[in-house]
C-alpha cells in the first residue's frame, strides 16, 4: 500500500487515508524523503484527518519523518490529528514536541507560508 | 449486529496481526458502548501490547473479552507469550525506556490508557499482561 | 424448632410488645408530646410488622414483603436496626425466663437468630444499595456540570473551568475541549481557571495534558484566570507551565489571543481609550 504525495508549487501535500500499519508507514517515510529530494520542496503538509489510531511506533515514524525532512530543508506541518488520537498520544506521554501542527490542510498551508515568509 | 460475548483471540505472528488485533478490540469497544476516545485508547493499548509480542516474543496471543464485575461492564485485554520474559519489570515500566529504538512509551503508556494493569513475567518462560477498561 | 419459638412469641405477644415499647422509648426517647405520639405510632407499626413476618411462616417472600413495607415508611436505618435488636433482646429474655432445659434454650436462640438475622442483613443491604445509587447519580450530575467551550470571536474560544477537577472530570473536560476546538475551528483556546478553587500537582498535570492535546490537534492554549495564590502554589510545587502562555485575566488572555491570530482591537472614535 502506498500513500500518494502531491506536489503543489513549493509544497508537498499528502493525506493519509488508510489505517497505518508499520509497512505502509515506513514505505511512506521513504517515499516522502525521496520526493522532497527530487522536487526540492520547502514545505510539507501531512494530513491525518482519516487516521484513527496512532500508537507509539507510528508516532515515532511520524516524528522521525519531520526531523528527517528538516534535514533535507523542508518544513513539515501535521494537520487534522483527531481529538481521540491526540488524547491517546498524550496518555502515551507523546507530545510530539517541536512538531508544528494545524487544524486542517488549509491552515497547515497558511502556517507554512508564514514560517517560510512567503 | 451480533452481540460479541465470546472472547476474541488473535495470534500475533507478523505486523498485520497487530492491525487485526487492534481492529478487533475497537469493534468490541464500540459494541460495548465505549465513546470515541476510549475506543481509540483501547485500540492503541492493544496495538502497543501486540507490538511488544511481535518485537520481543512472537508468537503470542491477544485475547479480548467482555467483563462484568458486579454490574461494572468493561473490556479485558490479555497479552500472553512464551517469550524470554522481561528481565527488569521496574525498568520496563519506566517512561522512555526502550530496547527496540521506539519511544519507550509502550508499557507505561498502556497502563495510562487503561484503568487496570497487571503484569506477570518470568525470565525464560514468558509474560502475561492483563489490562482492563470499564465503561464510565 | 422455629415453629415452637414462633408459638412462644405469639402466645406472649402482648407482653413482648409492652417490654419492647418500654426499651425502644429509651432509644428514641423524647419528652415532646406531639412528637412522642408520632413515635409511638411508628413503634407500634414496626413491632406489628415484625409479628406479621414471624406468623406468616408459609410465604416464601414474606421477608421481601416485610422489607418493602419497612423501607416504604422511610425511617432512619439506625432506628430500624435498634428496633430489631431490642426485639431480639426482649424475646431472648423471655426464652431464658421460660426455664426450659439448656439444650432447648440454645435451640430457641438458634431459631430466633435464623428468623431475625435475615431482617438485619436485608436492611443493611438495601440501605447501602440505595446510598450507592444516590452517590452514583450525584456523581453523574457533577459530570454533567462539564465545561462548555464558548466561541468568543472567529478563531478564538474560551473554556471556563468551575469547581474541583478530579481525574474523571478532567477526561470529560478534555474531550469537550478538543471536540469544541475542531467544531469551532478555534486557533486559540483560553482555559479560564478563575473558578477552580485549588490547583495542585494533579490539576496542573491535567491542564498541561489538555494543552498538549490541544496543540496536537493544531490549536494553541492560553491559561488565564491565575490568581496570585495559585501562582504561588504552582511555583512552590515546582510545576512547569512554561510550554504555553499564561495570563492573569481573561481580558489579557484575549488580547494575547488576538495578537496570536494577527489582530487587535482598535477604537473607532478619536480620543477613546482601548
Amino acid at each position: 500500500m502506498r500513500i500518494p504525495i502531491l506536489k503543489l508549487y513549493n509544497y508537498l501535500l499528502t493525506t493519509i487515508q488508510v489505517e497505518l500499519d508499520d509497512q505502509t508507514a515506513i514505505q511512506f517515510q521513504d517515499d516522502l524523503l525521496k520526493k522532497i529530494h527530487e522536487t526540492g520542496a520547502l514545505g510539507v503538509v501531512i494530513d491525518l484527518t482519516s487516521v484513527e489510531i496512532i500508537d507509539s511506533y507510528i508516532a515515532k515514524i511520524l516524528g522521525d519523518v519531520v526531523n528527517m525532512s528538516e534535514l533535507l530543508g523542508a518544513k513539515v506541518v501535521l494537520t487534522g490529528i483527531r481529538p481521540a488520537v491526540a488524547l491517546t498520544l498524550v496518555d502515551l506521554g507523546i507530545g510530539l514536541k517541536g512538531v508544528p501542527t494545524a487544524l486542517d490542510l488549509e491552515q497547515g498551508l497558511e502556517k507554512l507560508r508564514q514560517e517560510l515568509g512567503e | 449486529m451480533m452481540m460479541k460475548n465470546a472472547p476474541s483471540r488473535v495470534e500475533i505472528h507478523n505486523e498485520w496481526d497487530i492491525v487485526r488485533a487492534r481492529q478487533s478490540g475497537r469493534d468490541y469497544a464500540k459494541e460495548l458502548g465505549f465513546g470515541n476516545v476510549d475506543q481509540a485508547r483501547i485500540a492503541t493499548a492493544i496495538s502497543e501490547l501486540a507490538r511488544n509480542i511481535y518485537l520481543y516474543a512472537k508468537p503470542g496471543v491477544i485475547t479480548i473479552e467482555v467483563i462484568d464485575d458486579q454490574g461494572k461492564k468493561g473490556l479485558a485485554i490479555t497479552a500472553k507469550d512464551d517469550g524470554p520474559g522481561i528481565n527488569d519489570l521496574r525498568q520496563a515500566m519506566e517512561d522512555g525506556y526502550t530496547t527496540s529504538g521506539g519511544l519507550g512509551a509502550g508499557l507505561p503508556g498502556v497502563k495510562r490508557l487503561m484503568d487496570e494493569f497487571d503484569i506477570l513475567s518470568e525470565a525464560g518462560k514468558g509474560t502475561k499482561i492483563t489490562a482492563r477498561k470499564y465503561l464510565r | 424448632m422455629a415453629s415452637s419459638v414462633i408459638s412462644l412469641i405469639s402466645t406472649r405477644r402482648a407482653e413482648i410488645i409492652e417490654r419492647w415499647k418500654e426499651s425502644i422509648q429509651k432509644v428514641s426517647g423524647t419528652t415532646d408530646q406531639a412528637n412522642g405520639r408520632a413515635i409511638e405510632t411508628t413503634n407500634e407499626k414496626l413491632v406489628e410488622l415484625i409479628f406479621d413476618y414471624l406468623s406468616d411462616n408459609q410465604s416464601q417472600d414474606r421477608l421481601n414483603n416485610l422489607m418493602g413495607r419497612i423501607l416504604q415508611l422511610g425511617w432512619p436505618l439506625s432506628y430500624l436496626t435498634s428496633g430489631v435488636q431490642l426485639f431480639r433482646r426482649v424475646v431472648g429474655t423471655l426464652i431464658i425466663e421460660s426455664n426450659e432445659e439448656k439444650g432447648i434454650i440454645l435451640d430457641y436462640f438458634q431459631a430466633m437468630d435464623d428468623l431475625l438475622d435475615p431482617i438485619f442483613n436485608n436492611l443493611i443491604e438495601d440501605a447501602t444499595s440505595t446510598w450507592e445509587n444516590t452517590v452514583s447519580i450525584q456523581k453523574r450530575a457533577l459530570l454533567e456540570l462539564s465545561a462548555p467551550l464558548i466561541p468568543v470571536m472567529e478563531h478564538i474560544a474560551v473554556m471556563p473551568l468551575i469547581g474541583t477537577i478530579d481525574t474523571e472530570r478532567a477526561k470529560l473536560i478534555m474531550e469537550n475541549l478538543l471536540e469544541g476546538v475542531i467544531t469551532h475551528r478555534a486557533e486559540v483556546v483560553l482555559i479560564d481557571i478563575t473558578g477552580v478553587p485549588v490547583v495542585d500537582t494533579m490539576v496542573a498535570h491535567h491542564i498541561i495534558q489538555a494543552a498538549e492535546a490541544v496543540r496536537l490537534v493544531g490549536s494553541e492554549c492560553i491559561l488565564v484566570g491565575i490568581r496570585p495564590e495559585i501562582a504561588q502554589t504552582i511555583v512552590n510545587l515546582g510545576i512547569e507551565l512554561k510550554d504555553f502562555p499564561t495570563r492573569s485575566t481573561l481580558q489579557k488572555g484575549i488580547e494575547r489571543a488576538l495578537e496570536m491570530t494577527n489582530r487587535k482591537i482598535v477604537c473607532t472614535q478619536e480620543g477613546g481609550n482601548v
Side-chain angles (χ1 to χ4, degrees):
Chain A
M1 176 86 68
R2 285 187 113 123
I3 294 163
I5 301 164
L6 309 174
K7 180 177 173 298
L8 186 77
Y9 306 108
N10 279 332
Y11 306 124
L12 296 180
L13 301 183
T14 175
T15 106
I16 298 176
Q17 306 263 14
V18 292
E19 160 123 33
L20 271 180
D21 61 82
D22 305 6
Q23 277 299 306
T24 314
I26 287 177
Q27 182 73 55
F28 170 67
Q29 195 179 71
D30 287 350
D31 289 351
L32 183 66
L33 295 177
K34 265 192 208 123
K35 196 93 171 193
I36 292 171
H37 190 68
E38 276 167 23
T39 60
L42 297 173
V44 180
V45 179
I46 302 175
D47 185 57
L48 300 165
T49 312
S50 309
V51 176
E52 291 184 340
I53 292 176
I54 297 182
D55 65 6
S56 61
Y57 185 79
I58 302 288
K60 174 159 167 43
I61 291 181
L62 284 174
D64 287 351
V65 157
V66 174
N67 294 331
M68 292 166 182
S69 304
E70 278 187 12
L71 286 176
L72 294 174
K75 190 119 193 116
V76 184
V77 178
L78 300 184
T79 63
I81 295 180
R82 292 180 177 213
V85 172
L87 288 169
T88 311
L89 285 175
V90 168
D91 274 350
L92 284 171
I94 300 169
L96 289 175
K97 289 223 167 77
V99 178
T101 54
L103 285 170
D104 52 29
L105 210 61
E106 205 180 303
Q107 290 191 356
L109 277 172
E110 186 59 34
K111 193 159 195 165
L112 277 180
R113 265 222 279 276
Q114 278 173 13
E115 299 247 345
L116 298 171
E118 284 182 20
Chain B
M1 202 193 275
M2 202 184 74
M3 191 62 204
K4 289 171 171 141
N5 280 321
S8 153
R9 197 174 171 282
V10 182
E11 285 185 23
I12 307 296
H13 298 278
N14 55 47
E15 290 171 15
W16 299 108
D17 296 329
I18 302 175
V19 177
R20 277 204 307 133
R22 72 184 183 213
Q23 275 172 349
S24 167
R26 179 182 277 272
D27 289 347
Y28 269 69
K30 194 172 185 175
E31 178 147 345
L32 202 60
F34 278 106
N36 235 337
V37 180
D38 281 345
Q39 285 175 34
R41 285 195 174 103
I42 290 165
T44 309
I46 294 173
S47 196
E48 300 291 341
L49 292 172
R51 186 176 310 285
N52 268 349
I53 293 176
Y54 171 72
L55 289 175
Y56 306 113
K58 61 180 170 279
V61 178
I62 298 277
T63 315
I64 301 152
E65 59 189 320
V66 177
I67 45 171
D68 190 340
D69 180 9
Q70 295 169 6
K72 249 169 77 188
K73 278 195 174 38
L75 272 188
I77 314 297
T78 310
K80 197 177 172 315
D81 65 64
D82 306 317
I86 297 169
N87 267 328
D88 189 340
L89 270 185
R90 199 187 303 168
Q91 203 172 32
M93 291 308 294
E94 265 169 31
D95 267 318
Y97 178 76
T98 173
T99 55
S100 66
L103 286 172
L107 290 186
V110 172
K111 194 172 175 181
R112 281 193 294 265
L113 289 167
M114 305 291 280
D115 293 335
E116 286 173 7
F117 183 92
D118 298 313
I119 180 165
L120 274 174
S121 187
E122 203 175 326
K125 291 220 169 140
T127 304
K128 184 182 174 188
I129 297 173
T130 306
R132 297 177 201 85
K133 192 158 195 77
Y134 296 100
L135 278 172
R136 275 187 253 159
Chain C
M1 252 334 121
S3 55
S4 52
V5 152
I6 289 174
S7 64
L8 172 80
I9 290 172
S10 34
T11 48
R12 316 274 295 266
R13 180 178 172 131
E15 200 184 336
I16 292 176
I17 292 181
E18 213 36 60
R19 288 202 198 179
W20 183 83
K21 271 193 196 161
E22 244 169 60
S23 17
I24 191 91
Q25 243 144 33
K26 281 179 206 147
V27 176
S28 52
T30 176
T31 47
D32 183 343
Q33 276 287 332
N35 229 339
R37 173 96 304 150
I39 286 170
E40 212 176 309
T41 327
T42 310
N43 287 343
E44 264 161 32
K45 186 100 194 155
L46 179 61
V47 76
E48 221 169 85
L49 284 173
I50 297 175
F51 268 111
D52 277 0
Y53 160 73
L54 292 176
S55 53
D56 180 20
N57 57 352
Q58 303 303 318
S59 161
Q60 278 292 328
D61 48 18
R62 58 194 173 133
L63 185 62
N64 293 339
N65 205 359
L66 172 72
M67 287 300 127
R69 290 167 74 179
I70 286 186
L71 289 174
Q72 248 172 26
L73 301 170
W75 294 325
L77 180 68
S78 60
Y79 166 74
L80 294 174
T81 48
S82 52
V84 179
Q85 241 157 8
L86 287 174
F87 190 88
R88 182 200 297 250
R89 204 172 297 160
V90 170
V91 176
T93 320
L94 273 187
I95 293 173
I96 291 167
E97 284 170 3
S98 69
N99 281 328
E100 296 277 3
E101 276 174 43
K102 219 183 204 165
I104 294 179
I105 285 187
L106 278 179
D107 284 345
Y108 274 5
F109 266 102
Q110 182 67 49
M112 179 179 68
D113 282 348
D114 289 347
L115 282 167
L116 294 181
D117 280 350
I119 304 187
F120 256 112
N121 296 339
N122 276 29
L123 270 179
I124 307 276
E125 243 167 59
D126 280 356
T128 13
S129 77
T130 314
W131 289 331
E132 275 165 7
N133 202 11
T134 315
V135 169
S136 86
I137 287 171
Q138 283 173 345
K139 221 170 160 186
R140 216 173 309 143
L142 189 67
L143 278 181
E144 279 166 5
L145 280 177
S146 61
L149 189 75
I150 307 160
V152 283
M153 53 187 90
E154 215 192 346
H155 306 312
I156 300 176
V158 177
M159 176 169 267
L161 298 184
I162 291 165
T164 305
I165 298 169
D166 60 5
T167 306
E168 204 170 335
R169 233 190 123 209
K171 284 194 169 168
L172 201 85
I173 288 171
M174 276 206 241
E175 286 174 26
N176 273 359
L177 176 62
L178 294 193
E179 293 292 346
V181 164
I182 304 292
T183 322
H184 301 302
R185 283 177 49 106
E187 285 176 47
V188 183
V189 207
L190 299 119
I191 300 182
D192 185 352
I193 58 166
T194 311
V196 179
V198 178
V199 177
D200 56 10
T201 339
M202 205 206 47
V203 172
H205 174 75
H206 289 313
I207 292 173
I208 292 168
Q209 283 205 318
E212 263 182 29
V214 164
R215 202 192 70 79
L216 282 173
V217 300
S219 175
E220 271 171 285
C221 255
I222 304 176
L223 188 62
V224 302
I226 301 178
R227 288 167 278 139
E229 67 268 26
I230 299 237
Q232 282 169 315
T233 38
I234 287 175
V235 173
N236 286 339
L237 288 171
I239 298 164
E240 285 275 346
L241 287 177
K242 293 206 174 99
D243 280 342
F244 54 98
T246 51
R247 289 291 183 274
S248 57
T249 61
L250 182 59
Q251 190 189 337
K252 291 212 169 81
I254 288 185
E255 282 165 18
R256 176 80 188 108
L258 285 168
E259 255 174 59
M260 284 160 78
T261 50
N262 304 314
R263 289 173 293 175
K264 66 175 180 183
I265 295 175
V266 292
C267 205
T268 54
Q269 215 166 22
E270 245 174 85
N273 288 315
V274 176

